[in-house]
Amino acid sequence: MNTFGQKFRVSIFGESHGQGIGVVMDGVPAGITLSVQDFTEDILRRKSGAKGTTPRIEDDKPEILSGIFGGKTTGAPLAILFRNHNTKSSDYEIFKEMPRPGHADFVAGVKWHNFNDPRGGGHFSGRLTLPLVAAGVVAKKITDEFVITAKLVELGGETDREKWPEMIDEAVREGDSWGGIVECSAECVAQGLGEPFFDSAESLLSHAVFSIPGVRGIEFGDGFAAARMKGSEHNDPLVSETGETGKNGAGGVNGGLTNGNPIVFRVAFKPTSSIRKAQQTYDFSTGSMGCIEIPGRHDVCFALRTPVVVEAVTAIVLADLSLRSSGDTVK
Amino acid sequence: MNTFGQKFRVSIFGESHGQGIGVVMDGVPAGITLSVQDFTEDILRRKSGAKGTTPRIEDDKPEILSGIFGGKTTGAPLAILFRNHNTKSSDYEIFKEMPRPGHADFVAGVKWHNFNDPRGGGHFSGRLTLPLVAAGVVAKKITDEFVITAKLVELGGETDREKWPEMIDEAVREGDSWGGIVECSAECVAQGLGEPFFDSAESLLSHAVFSIPGVRGIEFGDGFAAARMKGSEHNDPLVSETGETGKNGAGGVNGGLTNGNPIVFRVAFKPTSSIRKAQQTYDFSTGSMGCIEIPGRHDVCFALRTPVVVEAVTAIVLADLSLRSSGDTVK
Amino acid sequence: MNTFGQKFRVSIFGESHGQGIGVVMDGVPAGITLSVQDFTEDILRRKSGAKGTTPRIEDDKPEILSGIFGGKTTGAPLAILFRNHNTKSSDYEIFKEMPRPGHADFVAGVKWHNFNDPRGGGHFSGRLTLPLVAAGVVAKKITDEFVITAKLVELGGETDREKWPEMIDEAVREGDSWGGIVECSAECVAQGLGEPFFDSAESLLSHAVFSIPGVRGIEFGDGFAAARMKGSEHNDPLVSETGETGKNGAGGVNGGLTNGNPIVFRVAFKPTSSIRKAQQTYDFSTGSMGCIEIPGRHDVCFALRTPVVVEAVTAIVLADLSLRSSGDTVK
Amino acid sequence: MNTFGQKFRVSIFGESHGQGIGVVMDGVPAGITLSVQDFTEDILRRKSGAKGTTPRIEDDKPEILSGIFGGKTTGAPLAILFRNHNTKSSDYEIFKEMPRPGHADFVAGVKWHNFNDPRGGGHFSGRLTLPLVAAGVVAKKITDEFVITAKLVELGGETDREKWPEMIDEAVREGDSWGGIVECSAECVAQGLGEPFFDSAESLLSHAVFSIPGVRGIEFGDGFAAARMKGSEHNDPLVSETGETGKNGAGGVNGGLTNGNPIVFRVAFKPTSSIRKAQQTYDFSTGSMGCIEIPGRHDVCFALRTPVVVEAVTAIVLADLSLRSSGDTVK
């Protein structure tokens, strides 16, 4: 549902074009210094406005509703609200009749008998990643010795960043979009995080990552390439008494437990589904295929905005696992 | 931890070389016909013995301890026990000093201060997939209208099955192992399964899949290839009023909800970590690198045995989501 | 923590003197008609202002932040915010040094190393029952065929309501307070609600009831009197094929499952801890006992305001159990 | 459902007359010394055989299936099985037609469409308290500095223990039964245990206590008497810097948090429902009231056997809260 985590628990709410969106974090340790300013950097990283991103501009100012006293967390739930301002809802009414390819329009209508809020994708909107980013800021403070960094490493299959601007221009001209791949690394992570059998570190990270809209795949360390290797190639010897391995082919996790090497994984994002270019879809009003053009304001490559979101969910998972790990062994 | 699922809840226990391993299933609807024979086929599919698999043979006979009356499930927890018989534990003592590459030996020792059971990997053993398969059998009965099928589609990068036997022979000769890729498809699945924001269908499937030992990656539909596409290529129009799409590039899920098309995903399994061939690892007794040869009985390609495990966790997730989906909309 | 329920899940946040308090409800079925007006009646019942209740007046106007579209619930989380306005925080600073008898001042300081918000009891304030009441309104809509009614049946041990006004006057004069007993009945409840072994109907009801500040006890049906009976006195025969029993001594629950008879339980509320009358407490500034007088604005008998809160948590539990009960038996 | 606890998680399974009953404990810290002998004392305390208890004798020998290595817990799930031997199932067939007063026969049949196991109460049997006691033994080891003691303080309303033997004789002669009240005290408990808002210490304790079959009520400290007091009577001053209070009227909990004083609560148990004496009940075969005599082997006062069960669930809750309390405040 809309809550994730056991000990550090994140609940999100809101819709793209409703009153606002927000997050309630439970289990935040008391005594963490926190102010509205702490959110600025990550929110800016996620924010639209750069080349290739949607021109919808929201101020994205967090209001901390609870859980803070004297500039520090109190141990009580931390609730943060972002008001929606810049909403243009009239664009979306046609999509009940002509569901947009790649969107949840049709299937959300099936699940909730068309009671779901269709405006701007409603609760399915990428805008919901904003409260995730806010939760990530707090999670990073909980695990402040961990160094979590994500970046886009491929855009439309191209790894050379210098070629990206012209690829984006091309897509803008064509009214099309691009997918991309984000790589995330978490360094200086404590050893032994993960709760086998089911809550392995990879299980929780992939669970959280696949909640980000538009993810198609995830791989750790050698990833899919490992499936094409021999054991003697993929195996990765310990090379020191602190558990360092030779090449980190496991991506920082053995047996579902963090092994102290950097956690490394890559996430495949699909191209933005909303494109200006005309597309076919089923027209429920005519009972035959029809042609749809999606106006609105969209990212050419929303993957450009997702590294900070991937960092956020990574921090959320590691904060939770870190808090859960106490009590593993009797004192 | 060792429990997965909300409404259909699976808990596993046991170690490779302990008294036995087992599973407790909670939330099984009453009235399902179930007998020991129902487990035979899937257990045989997982069982070792074929070319490329370990010569350790267990009878793998399930004992149903509770939850059945008159040949039908009762609504009370269904507990199933598999006794361990064929255990040779002496092989494993050296691995405390010389942790095996690719195994959890070292990190489990860190997490549990060496109180963990090291024999045969203990609770981290692939043997724990046996109770998963048993739970999968019950899950398949809960969702008996769904058709869930997994198969190995690549071995060591090779898709031509005719070449696999000689590749396996080669690895046996070399004392090496191979990775592989399993593809799973779930057809005839109800629409609207998935509980956004966090419990999207992909989130839960990947969560469960990454609990299987040895998984390195997962991708849905077009997967990583989608990240290299344009939106106009990846987008997938609805082509009928029942929600069929043109090419199922989304792999059966939109916005985290099953869309009625086959759920299709691929799972990358690493090569078996335990190989006969000599390997380097850190030797804690000498404080320097040492050479290790792993005797024991191992799979040359354990991925050969995993399709039924992937099916099992898929069925477990879909059974849970299916039971959870009631009450989505007011009557 | 601050979330309750499995399928209908209620999360609360906020502090007595912070920005506001609120509730996020997850799992609300789509299609329920809901407006701000629906909350008015129950909020008024809880509201202070009557004889024996605190003169602090808040407007208690709910703002629905999400989860509504076109006047109906959408299936997405329903978030409701109440702003705090009428806060006078200066009163509370002394209580760090001289913890008030009966309050969490001391122990919350221990738990959160004095980072907790002490103003007006912070997150421990009875004000947090306001979002509970709001959640109860929605829960009652989910279970609208159930008839849930709670009322104060004893005040200071007196069952004759006509004597209560003078008892209250007396306590006001003395700067003292009274406890009370609330009786709750839920009629027309479906049979078979409850999820043994641990989530029996009584277990969940008592769990929720004891989260209301100031509860000292709960008993179902014959309650403590049953412990003084013989089996032949307490036993309660079925008298009809629909499961009606003779005297409902079990209070509507057998074996943890609702049996279709009215669920009846009584809740003991302690007297308001904050009294004007001088009291002894330990003075941490002097290291000896000291005398404290608690100014502020307090209820003489807060139990007067709790019947609607007891109804709310009852509705929350029954809504959750009701949604959870589908899938008990195979179709 | 059949799992309780968040960090120390107890799952039970089994039926009175099936293969056996058992418990799986997850989250047990590694390194706790544990052997089969550790269970003997508490199991004997629960065991039948004394005056007033059922003559059904089971050997109640625990088999530890997993989670132990070298005499210590490993951090992996601890599964314990008790085989059923002494079962006489033929007695119970008539109760489908003539549901026993006070039992779940009728309502379990409604919930699970008569697929539930009716033999000896099936999963509803008091026999399921045996795995609870086993879990309690482990929980007591986790919290070994806490001193948890429960005893029967009233039998049939009589507090003078010297009169109990003749009361029991009388009930045996009459084919009747008695209820009783158990008082539990937990001393030397850490301060600050409890996770408001919903997981207050009282909430979790009452939740667990009401899962024990036959409980009708629970009260903490002054309990129901508090509801008849004035604030100046009930309030309980701190009298030392360590948080000691004058009379412990709150029963060791303030604001849902343990305050370091003994946790004291009383539990009301109904009289045994199964009595030899003839009783009325609805006869579904005739469609009218009928007379039932319950043969079988029953406790005259099962409350005599419950103190150790109350201790067990108390230990389970406190072990869980204790493990959960780490991370309350940032280091």
Side-chain angles (χ1 to χ4, degrees):
Chain A
M1 294 160 85
N2 293 282
T3 298
F4 185 78
Q6 181 179 325
K7 184 98 173 129
F8 174 61
R9 216 178 273 179
V10 173
S11 301
I12 63 171
F13 63 85
E15 290 89 22
S16 182
H17 291 197
Q19 294 303 308
I21 56 179
V23 58
V24 182
M25 286 165 260
D26 204 358
V28 182
I32 296 176
T33 304
L34 188 72
S35 72
V36 166
Q37 287 70 43
D38 291 317
F39 297 90
T40 310
E41 185 183 335
D42 276 3
I43 288 176
L44 273 174
R45 288 175 62 203
R46 180 195 163 280
K47 209 182 176 77
S48 53
K51 187 168 209 165
T53 59
T54 167
R56 170 179 174 182
I57 304 293
E58 286 280 1
D59 65 6
D60 289 352
K61 257 174 70 176
E63 182 188 6
I64 303 179
L65 295 172
S66 67
I68 295 283
F69 178 65
K72 292 188 187 289
T73 57
T74 62
L78 189 60
I80 297 179
L81 176 64
F82 298 89
R83 294 277 176 188
N84 292 329
H85 302 292
N86 191 354
T87 54
K88 293 170 62 186
S89 298
S90 54
D91 301 351
Y92 293 89
E93 305 203 340
I94 196 186
F95 307 135
K96 287 205 168 169
E97 282 178 4
M98 300 187 69
R100 295 166 296 172
H103 280 276
D105 298 343
F106 171 72
V107 72
V110 170
K111 185 177 181 71
W112 291 298
H113 295 197
N114 286 322
F115 290 118
N116 58 301
D117 181 350
R119 300 168 301 164
H123 188 58
F124 290 88
S125 167
R127 185 154 170 72
L128 269 288
T129 59
L130 175 57
L132 278 188
V133 167
V137 167
V138 177
K140 287 174 181 176
K141 291 210 158 205
I142 295 173
T143 60
D144 60 359
E145 68 278 25
F146 303 173
V147 180
I148 302 170
T149 326
K151 55 177 192 288
L152 192 71
V153 294
E154 272 192 35
L155 183 149
E158 178 58 62
T159 57
D160 181 350
R161 299 173 156 262
E162 296 195 11
K163 299 192 180 150
W164 295 356
E166 64 188 280
M167 291 172 69
I168 291 169
D169 286 340
E170 177 198 320
V172 170
R173 277 194 312 273
E174 296 176 355
D176 213 327
S177 64
W178 285 112
I181 293 179
V182 169
E183 183 168 289
C184 184
S185 140
E187 300 182 55
C188 310
V189 173
Q191 289 177 321
L193 303 189
E195 299 295 331
F197 193 84
F198 291 110
D199 290 353
S200 75
E202 298 111 319
S203 283
L204 293 184
L205 285 167
S206 67
H207 186 143
V209 161
F210 273 110
S211 71
I212 305 172
V215 172
R216 281 283 170 270
I218 186 170
E219 57 176 10
F220 288 81
D222 289 342
F224 275 83
R228 287 139 192 164
M229 293 180 183
K230 288 191 172 171
S232 54
E233 288 173 88
H234 178 60
N235 273 359
D236 197 11
L238 265 76
V239 298
S240 78
E241 63 179 8
T242 54
E244 228 178 319
T245 66
K247 62 188 182 72
N248 197 21
V253 186
N254 283 126
L257 304 176
T258 58
N259 64 16
N261 294 275
I263 302 175
V264 179
F265 61 90
R266 275 165 304 284
V267 182
F269 285 93
K270 69 176 184 182
T272 311
S273 293
S274 291
I275 55 177
R276 219 183 54 238
K277 212 171 189 172
Q279 300 178 82
Q280 295 287 306
T281 190
Y282 192 79
D283 186 339
F284 283 79
S285 68
T286 64
S288 60
M289 296 302 289
C291 188
I292 192 169
E293 286 176 53
I294 302 171
R297 304 155 297 176
H298 310 291
D299 292 297
V300 164
C301 175
F302 75 92
L304 284 163
R305 295 168 62 188
T306 57
V308 71
V309 183
V310 172
E311 284 180 19
V313 299
T314 303
I316 289 167
V317 167
L318 294 179
D320 189 35
L321 282 177
S322 186
L323 291 169
R324 288 169 71 177
S325 69
S326 76
D328 284 341
T329 304
V330 76
K331 276 160 289 193
Chain B
M1 295 161 84
N2 293 282
T3 299
F4 184 77
Q6 181 178 324
K7 185 102 171 118
F8 173 62
R9 216 179 271 179
V10 173
S11 301
I12 63 170
F13 63 85
E15 291 88 21
S16 182
H17 291 198
Q19 295 303 307
I21 55 178
V23 58
V24 182
M25 287 164 260
D26 203 358
V28 182
I32 296 177
T33 304
L34 188 72
S35 72
V36 166
Q37 286 69 44
D38 290 318
F39 297 90
T40 310
E41 184 183 335
D42 276 3
I43 287 176
L44 273 175
R45 288 175 61 203
R46 180 197 163 280
K47 209 181 175 78
S48 54
K51 188 167 211 166
T53 60
T54 167
R56 170 179 174 180
I57 304 294
E58 287 280 3
D59 65 4
D60 290 353
K61 258 174 69 177
E63 182 187 6
I64 303 179
L65 295 173
S66 67
I68 295 283
F69 178 65
K72 292 187 188 289
T73 57
T74 62
L78 188 60
I80 297 179
L81 176 64
F82 298 88
R83 295 276 174 187
N84 291 329
H85 302 293
N86 190 352
T87 56
K88 292 171 61 184
S89 299
S90 56
D91 301 350
Y92 292 89
E93 302 201 343
I94 197 186
F95 306 135
K96 287 205 167 167
E97 281 177 5
M98 299 186 70
R100 294 166 296 171
H103 280 276
D105 299 343
F106 171 73
V107 74
V110 170
K111 185 177 181 73
W112 291 297
H113 295 197
N114 287 320
F115 290 118
N116 58 301
D117 181 348
R119 300 169 299 164
H123 188 57
F124 289 88
S125 166
R127 184 154 170 74
L128 270 289
T129 58
L130 176 57
L132 278 188
V133 167
V137 168
V138 177
K140 287 173 181 176
K141 291 212 159 204
I142 295 173
T143 61
D144 61 359
E145 68 279 23
F146 302 174
V147 181
I148 302 171
T149 325
K151 55 176 193 287
L152 192 72
V153 293
E154 271 191 35
L155 183 150
E158 179 58 63
T159 57
D160 181 350
R161 298 173 156 263
E162 295 195 13
K163 300 195 179 149
W164 295 356
E166 63 188 281
M167 291 173 69
I168 291 169
D169 286 340
E170 177 198 321
V172 170
R173 276 195 310 274
E174 297 175 355
D176 214 329
S177 65
W178 286 113
I181 293 179
V182 168
E183 183 168 288
C184 183
S185 140
E187 300 181 56
C188 310
V189 173
Q191 289 178 320
L193 302 189
E195 297 296 331
F197 195 81
F198 291 110
D199 290 353
S200 75
E202 298 111 319
S203 283
L204 293 184
L205 286 167
S206 67
H207 186 144
V209 161
F210 272 111
S211 70
I212 305 172
V215 172
R216 281 282 170 272
I218 186 171
E219 57 176 10
F220 287 81
D222 288 341
F224 274 83
R228 287 139 191 163
M229 292 179 183
K230 286 190 174 173
S232 55
E233 288 173 87
H234 178 61
N235 273 359
D236 197 11
L238 266 76
V239 297
S240 78
E241 65 179 4
T242 56
E244 225 178 320
T245 67
K247 61 186 182 73
N248 197 19
V253 186
N254 282 128
L257 305 176
T258 57
N259 64 18
N261 295 275
I263 302 176
V264 179
F265 61 91
R266 275 165 303 285
V267 182
F269 284 94
K270 69 177 185 181
T272 311
S273 293
S274 292
I275 55 177
R276 217 182 56 235
K277 212 172 189 173
Q279 298 179 84
Q280 295 286 307
T281 190
Y282 192 80
D283 185 339
F284 283 79
S285 67
T286 65
S288 61
M289 296 302 290
C291 189
I292 193 172
E293 286 175 55
I294 302 172
R297 303 154 296 176
H298 310 291
D299 292 298
V300 163
C301 176
F302 75 93
L304 283 163
R305 294 167 62 189
T306 56
V308 70
V309 183
V310 172
E311 283 181 18
V313 299
T314 303
I316 290 167
V317 167
L318 295 179
D320 188 35
L321 282 176
S322 185
L323 291 169
R324 288 169 70 177
S325 69
S326 75
D328 284 342
T329 304
V330 76
K331 278 158 291 196
Chain C
M1 294 161 86
N2 293 282
T3 299
F4 185 78
Q6 181 178 324
K7 184 101 172 127
F8 173 62
R9 215 179 272 180
V10 173
S11 301
I12 64 170
F13 62 86
E15 290 89 22
S16 181
H17 291 197
Q19 295 302 306
I21 56 179
V23 58
V24 182
M25 285 164 260
D26 204 358
V28 181
I32 296 177
T33 304
L34 188 72
S35 72
V36 166
Q37 285 70 43
D38 290 318
F39 296 90
T40 310
E41 184 184 334
D42 276 3
I43 288 176
L44 272 175
R45 288 174 61 203
R46 179 196 164 279
K47 210 183 176 77
S48 53
K51 187 166 208 167
T53 60
T54 167
R56 170 180 174 181
I57 304 294
E58 287 280 1
D59 64 5
D60 290 352
K61 256 174 69 176
E63 182 188 5
I64 302 179
L65 294 172
S66 68
I68 295 283
F69 178 65
K72 291 187 186 288
T73 57
T74 62
L78 188 61
I80 297 179
L81 176 64
F82 299 89
R83 295 278 176 187
N84 291 329
H85 303 292
N86 191 353
T87 55
K88 291 170 62 185
S89 299
S90 56
D91 301 350
Y92 293 89
E93 304 202 341
I94 196 186
F95 306 135
K96 288 206 167 166
E97 282 177 3
M98 299 187 70
R100 294 166 297 172
H103 281 276
D105 298 344
F106 171 73
V107 73
V110 170
K111 185 177 182 72
W112 291 297
H113 296 196
N114 286 320
F115 290 119
N116 58 303
D117 181 348
R119 299 168 301 165
H123 188 58
F124 289 87
S125 167
R127 185 154 169 73
L128 270 288
T129 58
L130 176 57
L132 278 188
V133 167
V137 168
V138 177
K140 288 173 181 177
K141 291 211 159 205
I142 295 173
T143 59
D144 61 359
E145 68 278 24
F146 304 172
V147 180
I148 303 170
T149 325
K151 55 177 192 290
L152 192 71
V153 293
E154 273 192 33
L155 183 150
E158 178 58 62
T159 56
D160 181 351
R161 298 172 157 263
E162 294 194 15
K163 300 194 179 148
W164 295 356
E166 65 188 279
M167 290 172 69
I168 290 168
D169 286 341
E170 176 198 322
V172 169
R173 275 193 313 273
E174 296 175 355
D176 214 327
S177 64
W178 286 113
I181 293 179
V182 169
E183 183 168 288
C184 184
S185 139
E187 300 181 54
C188 310
V189 173
Q191 288 178 321
L193 302 189
E195 298 295 331
F197 193 83
F198 290 110
D199 289 353
S200 74
E202 298 110 320
S203 283
L204 293 183
L205 286 167
S206 67
H207 185 144
V209 161
F210 273 110
S211 71
I212 304 172
V215 172
R216 281 283 170 270
I218 186 170
E219 58 176 9
F220 288 80
D222 288 341
F224 275 82
R228 288 140 192 163
M229 291 180 184
K230 288 192 174 171
S232 55
E233 288 174 88
H234 179 59
N235 273 358
D236 198 10
L238 266 76
V239 297
S240 77
E241 63 178 5
T242 55
E244 227 179 320
T245 67
K247 60 188 184 74
N248 197 19
V253 187
N254 282 127
L257 304 177
T258 57
N259 65 16
N261 295 276
I263 302 176
V264 179
F265 60 92
R266 275 165 305 285
V267 182
F269 285 94
K270 69 177 185 181
T272 312
S273 293
S274 291
I275 55 177
R276 218 181 57 235
K277 212 172 188 173
Q279 298 178 85
Q280 295 286 307
T281 191
Y282 192 80
D283 185 339
F284 282 80
S285 67
T286 64
S288 59
M289 297 301 290
C291 187
I292 191 169
E293 287 176 53
I294 302 172
R297 305 155 295 176
H298 310 290
D299 292 297
V300 163
C301 176
F302 75 93
L304 283 162
R305 295 167 62 189
T306 57
V308 70
V309 183
V310 172
E311 283 180 18
V313 299
T314 303
I316 289 168
V317 167
L318 295 179
D320 189 35
L321 282 176
S322 185
L323 291 169
R324 288 170 70 178
S325 69
S326 75
D328 284 341
T329 304
V330 76
K331 278 160 291 193
Chain D
M1 294 160 84
N2 294 282
T3 298
F4 184 78
Q6 182 178 325
K7 184 101 172 125
F8 173 62
R9 217 179 270 179
V10 173
S11 301
I12 64 172
F13 63 85
E15 290 89 21
S16 181
H17 291 199
Q19 295 302 308
I21 55 178
V23 58
V24 182
M25 286 165 260
D26 203 358
V28 182
I32 296 177
T33 304
L34 189 72
S35 71
V36 166
Q37 286 70 42
D38 290 318
F39 296 91
T40 309
E41 185 182 334
D42 277 3
I43 288 177
L44 272 175
R45 289 175 61 202
R46 179 195 165 281
K47 210 182 176 76
S48 53
K51 186 166 210 165
T53 59
T54 168
R56 169 177 175 184
I57 304 294
E58 287 280 2
D59 64 5
D60 290 352
K61 256 174 70 178
E63 181 186 8
I64 303 179
L65 294 173
S66 67
I68 295 283
F69 178 64
K72 290 186 187 291
T73 57
T74 62
L78 189 60
I80 297 179
L81 176 64
F82 298 88
R83 295 276 175 189
N84 291 329
H85 302 291
N86 191 354
T87 55
K88 292 171 61 185
S89 299
S90 54
D91 301 351
Y92 293 89
E93 302 200 346
I94 197 187
F95 307 134
K96 287 204 170 171
E97 282 179 3
M98 300 186 70
R100 294 167 296 172
H103 279 276
D105 298 342
F106 171 72
V107 73
V110 170
K111 186 178 180 73
W112 291 296
H113 295 198
N114 286 322
F115 290 119
N116 58 301
D117 182 348
R119 300 169 299 165
H123 188 57
F124 290 87
S125 167
R127 184 153 170 75
L128 270 288
T129 58
L130 175 57
L132 277 188
V133 167
V137 168
V138 177
K140 287 174 181 176
K141 291 212 159 205
I142 296 173
T143 61
D144 61 0
E145 69 277 25
F146 303 173
V147 180
I148 302 171
T149 324
K151 55 176 191 289
L152 192 71
V153 293
E154 272 191 35
L155 183 149
E158 178 58 62
T159 57
D160 181 350
R161 300 173 156 262
E162 295 194 13
K163 300 194 179 148
W164 295 357
E166 64 189 278
M167 291 173 68
I168 290 169
D169 286 339
E170 176 198 322
V172 169
R173 276 194 310 273
E174 296 176 355
D176 213 328
S177 64
W178 286 112
I181 293 180
V182 169
E183 182 168 288
C184 184
S185 139
E187 299 181 56
C188 311
V189 173
Q191 289 178 320
L193 303 189
E195 299 295 331
F197 194 81
F198 291 110
D199 290 353
S200 75
E202 298 109 321
S203 284
L204 293 184
L205 286 167
S206 67
H207 185 143
V209 161
F210 273 111
S211 70
I212 304 172
V215 172
R216 280 285 170 269
I218 186 170
E219 59 175 9
F220 288 81
D222 289 340
F224 275 82
R228 287 137 192 167
M229 292 180 184
K230 287 190 174 173
S232 55
E233 287 174 89
H234 178 60
N235 273 358
D236 197 13
L238 266 76
V239 297
S240 77
E241 63 180 6
T242 55
E244 225 178 320
T245 67
K247 61 186 182 73
N248 197 22
V253 187
N254 282 127
L257 304 176
T258 57
N259 65 16
N261 294 275
I263 302 175
V264 179
F265 61 91
R266 275 166 304 284
V267 182
F269 285 93
K270 69 176 185 182
T272 311
S273 293
S274 291
I275 55 177
R276 218 183 54 236
K277 213 172 189 173
Q279 299 179 84
Q280 295 287 306
T281 190
Y282 192 79
D283 185 339
F284 283 79
S285 67
T286 64
S288 61
M289 296 302 290
C291 188
I292 191 169
E293 285 176 55
I294 303 172
R297 303 155 295 176
H298 311 290
D299 292 298
V300 164
C301 175
F302 75 93
L304 283 164
R305 296 168 61 189
T306 56
V308 70
V309 183
V310 172
E311 284 180 18
V313 299
T314 303
I316 289 167
V317 167
L318 294 179
D320 188 35
L321 282 177
S322 186
L323 292 168
R324 288 169 70 177
S325 70
S326 76
D328 284 341
T329 304
V330 75
K331 277 158 290 196

